[in-house]
Amino acid sequence: MVNSVRFVDPGKNYRMIKDEIDAAYFEVMEKGDLIDREHLKRFEQNLAQFVGTRYAVGLNSGYDALHMSLRAAGIGPGDEVIVPAHTFVATCSAVVNVGADPVLVDVTNDFNIDVDLIEPAITEKTKGIIPVHLSGYMADMPKIMEIAQKYNLSIVEDACQSLGSSIDGKRAGSWGLTGCWSFYPFKILGGYGDGGALTTDDPEVAAFAQRMRYNGEDRETGEYHGHGFTCLLDNMQAAFLDIKLRHLPDWIERRKIIAEKYRQSLSDLPDLLLPHYDKPGFDHIYQNYTLRSKQGSEFSDYLKSNNIEVLTQFRKPYYKHAALKLEDRGFPETEALSREVCSLPMNVELTDDEIDYVISVVRSFYKK
Ligand SMILES: Cc1ncc(COP(=O)(O)O)c(C=O)c1O
């Protein structure tokens, strides 16, 4: 009988594809191919193809992808970049760490940036926008691209939570100058440690990232093209991720089935707002199943006390952390959802019995 459910279960996921992962491990180890070898190149080709861009460049993390993208766009001191008030802090930190100023904009009830608030936030210093596609559902890219064209802004898509999602069939990470990806273990394409990538159609951006991830060096000529960084995706991680990428389409289908099961079983509860939206053409891949409960922490604590791992990102918005020195201009939707968010377990390792257990615990909370 099920009496606990993990948020994700990397060990169980490994056992589902153990033969393939073990074979890749032994192949890489036997060859001693650790840095910038064929597995990385192959994964980059396959990732680019999956996203629908000409290039993918493997990096150490999603943060590195954001950081590198802003540098490639020439964004630096004196520039402003628009970012959502509700996102993982790395989106904003990348802006700060290139010396630019983040300008925070509130989100709507799908957790993504409110496109109607973008134009009022634009000044003559604005150089870019980082739309974040949160939880597997994309920000309104058609409108954002229109604004970008009108004001000549660079778009860096923070797609770290949305590999595989799309609008009218055009995938996340293929709209802007770059798409930024994280392979942190909790992600839909999770590695065995940190990892990331950027995708782009621009050959100069791809070449820039390829050099800068390797201390500025052009690996063919040995020429240094600038003071760079050490932030290359490991060849071993790339070999593992390439295997997982092949499973991703099936895994996305499984996530959609789980989401539908949650919807069918919970949508009658009036105090829950479930993450099902009706924007035509927008495809949700459910990286996270983040709902809102009017009972906030009382609800999430109840699930935890019944041994269900949930995420409550983020009870405290990042701009409220004093050390970050960000201006809290008041973001009503972010404030409201921060009190209420709760992500239910959502992963391909879940059994039907575990899903039923989560549903029964949620329902028992509302019966109390
Ligand atoms: C929306 C978003 N942006 C950026 C990142 C940063 O990715 P990483 O942890 O790989 O640096 C993450 C991952 O946690 C994320 O969810």
Side-chain angles (χ1 to χ4, degrees):
M1 209 189 90
V2 176
N3 54 14
S4 71
V5 183
R6 294 189 60 182
F7 191 73
V8 293
D9 192 340
K12 189 170 175 196
N13 185 279
Y14 161 67
R15 288 189 291 279
M16 287 163 62
I17 50 172
K18 184 177 177 339
D19 291 350
E20 292 169 90
I21 294 290
D22 289 356
Y25 170 80
F26 287 117
E27 187 195 333
V28 170
M29 292 303 278
E30 289 289 347
K31 288 184 174 164
D33 279 355
L34 303 178
I35 302 282
D36 201 8
R37 294 302 171 96
E38 63 175 295
H39 297 89
L40 176 62
K41 290 181 181 58
R42 207 180 307 143
F43 172 61
E44 288 173 335
Q45 277 168 10
N46 291 334
L47 180 66
Q49 196 181 18
F50 182 84
V51 172
T53 54
R54 287 175 72 190
Y55 309 98
V57 182
L59 300 167
N60 226 6
S61 66
Y63 168 81
D64 287 317
L66 291 161
H67 177 206
M68 218 53 102
S69 299
L70 293 169
R71 285 186 179 269
I75 289 171
D79 299 333
E80 290 178 357
V81 179
I82 291 173
V83 297
H86 176 63
T87 178
F88 182 55
V89 65
T91 317
C92 179
S93 298
V95 175
V96 173
N97 288 340
V98 297
D101 294 318
V103 174
L104 278 55
V105 165
D106 208 357
V107 295
T108 65
N109 63 3
D110 66 7
F111 302 109
N112 287 327
I113 194 161
D114 185 341
V115 284
D116 294 334
L117 299 178
I118 292 178
E119 282 199 79
I122 292 174
T123 71
E124 71 278 5
K125 291 183 182 169
T126 309
K127 287 283 155 49
I129 307 173
I130 310 185
V132 181
H133 310 311
L134 220 60
S135 298
Y137 191 75
M138 287 179 66
D140 192 339
M141 289 311 292
K143 287 213 183 109
I144 291 169
M145 295 311 293
E146 240 175 72
I147 297 171
Q149 259 182 358
K150 182 168 164 194
Y151 294 92
N152 193 25
L153 305 177
S154 298
I155 299 297
V156 170
E157 291 178 71
D158 183 338
C160 288
Q161 295 192 8
S162 285
L163 185 57
S165 66
S166 58
I167 302 172
D168 293 331
K170 185 169 169 57
R171 287 229 160 113
S174 69
W175 294 70
L177 176 69
T178 65
C180 300
W181 306 101
S182 168
F183 308 126
Y184 181 80
F186 274 31
K187 296 292 192 265
I188 195 162
L189 186 68
Y192 300 107
D194 278 315
L198 66 76
T199 45
T200 185
D201 279 328
D202 187 324
E204 282 178 26
V205 171
F208 175 85
Q210 273 156 1
R211 294 169 188 150
M212 295 312 254
R213 70 181 176 177
Y214 209 84
N215 298 98
E217 184 184 337
D218 180 328
R219 299 274 284 145
E220 273 169 24
T221 63
E223 185 74 14
Y224 294 120
H225 286 260
H227 291 286
F229 308 88
T230 306
C231 56
L232 184 71
L233 180 66
D234 287 335
N235 196 62
M236 180 77 87
Q237 287 290 359
F240 297 150
L241 290 166
D242 205 28
I243 291 165
K244 288 186 154 194
L245 185 60
R246 290 201 283 275
H247 290 276
L248 192 62
D250 288 343
W251 288 353
I252 288 173
E253 286 315 307
R254 173 69 184 151
R255 282 171 182 267
K256 288 182 179 179
I257 289 168
I258 297 170
E260 183 55 21
K261 191 146 191 208
Y262 281 147
R263 189 185 70 77
Q264 282 175 9
S265 311
L266 302 175
S267 57
D268 62 316
L269 298 171
D271 283 359
L272 291 185
L273 195 59
L274 304 179
H276 299 271
Y277 314 107
D278 53 7
K279 279 195 199 157
F282 283 57
D283 187 32
H284 203 325
I285 52 95
Y286 296 101
Q287 154 74 60
N288 293 314
Y289 193 86
T290 309
L291 52 72
R292 288 170 67 162
S293 160
K294 284 199 180 137
Q295 287 67 34
S297 292
E298 203 195 322
F299 174 77
S300 52
D301 289 347
Y302 181 80
L303 267 63
K304 286 181 203 162
S305 71
N306 282 280
N307 303 315
I308 296 172
E309 281 182 353
V310 293
L311 286 190
T312 53
Q313 290 178 331
F314 301 93
R315 281 284 181 265
K316 181 175 173 179
Y318 67 91
Y319 56 81
K320 287 188 183 287
H321 292 250
L324 301 190
K325 298 191 175 70
L326 297 165
E327 196 190 345
D328 179 355
R329 290 187 291 106
F331 304 101
E333 191 66 26
T334 298
E335 303 261 323
L337 70 85
S338 299
R339 282 190 295 274
E340 298 179 350
V341 280
C342 180
S343 301
L344 301 184
M346 168 56 81
N347 60 68
V348 291
E349 301 89 66
L350 285 176
T351 62
D352 288 345
D353 286 348
E354 287 172 321
I355 299 163
D356 287 343
Y357 178 69
V358 175
I359 289 165
S360 72
V361 172
V362 171
R363 295 201 70 87
S364 74
F365 174 80
Y366 281 107
K367 266 203 204 110
K368 279 191 300 147

